[in-house]
Amino acid sequence: MLCARATFSTLVAALAIAAPSQIQAQDLPSVDLGGRIQAQYAHSSVDGAENDFFFRRVRLRADISVNDWITGRIQPDFKGGGASLQDAYVDLAFSEGLNIRIGQFKRPFDLFDLSSSTNLSLIERDGRIEGLGGCPGVGGLCAHNRLTEALEFTGRDQGVMVDGTAGRVEYAVMVSNGEGANASDVNDGKSFSSRVVVAASDDLRVAGKLSVHDYLSDSAETSQAVAFGVDAEWGTWRDGFHAQLSVVSGENWALPIAGDPATFQAIEGWASYYHPLEGDRVVGIEPLLRVGYADANTDGADDAGTLLTPGLMFYFGGRNKIGANMDVYRPQSGGTEYSLKIQTYIYF
């Protein structure tokens, strides 16, 4: 008995000595921490609308690297006093031409949506104006990003994506639940998103995109709606002239007409010019202009609107800045409304 106890004690001691060296010998994942804080003030011309200060985004990011081919990201958002998961995925980079992403992330469809809010000079992609609604099927105002996101052709979703590059061509194909972020599937169908980008030159990139969204129809049957389009980008962020243009058309499944979804169309473009400054605090200035037109029902009357957004950004270094946008919206019917937005961007 004493011999058994002695043997057990010796084994425990040996494991205690060996454990630290074994742990040190393992390749532990590396974690890069960061985040963003974006505080906004928004004033609306709509009677009765709330004009207030609020946090637009408060996000913490953890980029995890297990080794040279397995990486991942976790990114929650704490705006509004609550917490919601934005990104949570694992990347398996088999080669430059083949990467597999599994989890929750942005669908590979819309250029504007795929552009990070830390880079965008536009404060709100959809040009939202507090208190303004009425766009058929989607509410709010009729704008390019409002239609594509509210109809679930773009935005975050849960699924698996295959992407990669081959020379001047980039591709991405995703299969997802179709219910958006942090939501379980409600039917037996799946959604499909894809885009192919061609670098026509060092400055110009042109893309084609296709999205198929599955949804439950009024008869509780699984149906599919399709959206497609092209977009182009010239230049890059914080480097002189930069522009993005997108044209999209698709089925407005939230607006059924005689049992079939209506058809929507939208075109939007914006341009900016970043000019560096010789200063200790303000290191750059960037004027910008957006022009967009969207029609929620091409067969209906008075279902379209025009969005105009002039703006100005002041940079303090990198992606840290403060700026203002004036979103001006004119519907086919009704009066023109506007929203002044001022937002600070802290990136770390």
Side-chain angles (χ1 to χ4, degrees), residues 142-175:
C142 291
H144 179 288
N145 195 253
R146 175 65 182 170
L147 285 162
T148 57
E149 187 169 9
L151 294 174
E152 291 287 352
F153 292 116
T154 192
R156 287 177 169 85
D157 203 0
Q158 299 179 56
V160 58
M161 178 176 73
V162 178
D163 66 292
T165 61
R168 289 182 170 269
V169 178
E170 301 176 13
Y171 76 93
V173 179
M174 179 179 182
V175 178

Side-chain angles (χ1 to χ4, degrees), residues 237-253:
W237 313 101
R238 298 175 295 281
D239 187 19
F241 180 75
H242 185 206
Q244 293 183 335
L245 173 68
S246 177
V247 180
V248 64
S249 181
E251 294 176 303
N252 186 346
W253 55 268

Side-chain angles (χ1 to χ4, degrees), residues 104-120:
Q104 177 170 291
F105 46 90
K106 290 182 177 180
R107 299 175 180 94
F109 181 70
D110 182 51
L111 173 64
F112 300 140
D113 185 65
L114 292 172
S115 299
S116 171
S117 66
T118 63
N119 282 321
L120 278 173

Side-chain angles (χ1 to χ4, degrees), residues 180-234:
N182 306 310
S184 300
D185 210 342
V186 298
N187 56 21
D188 58 357
K190 287 292 177 281
S191 291
F192 170 86
S193 308
S194 64
R195 67 183 277 116
V196 177
V197 184
V198 177
S201 69
D202 292 339
D203 293 315
L204 177 63
R205 293 165 297 283
V206 181
K209 52 195 177 185
L210 173 67
S211 182
V212 180
H213 174 64
D214 71 294
Y215 66 98
L216 288 177
S217 65
D218 293 339
S219 59
E221 295 181 354
T222 299
S223 300
Q224 287 78 36
V226 178
F228 58 92
V230 295
D231 56 56
E233 182 174 29
W234 179 278

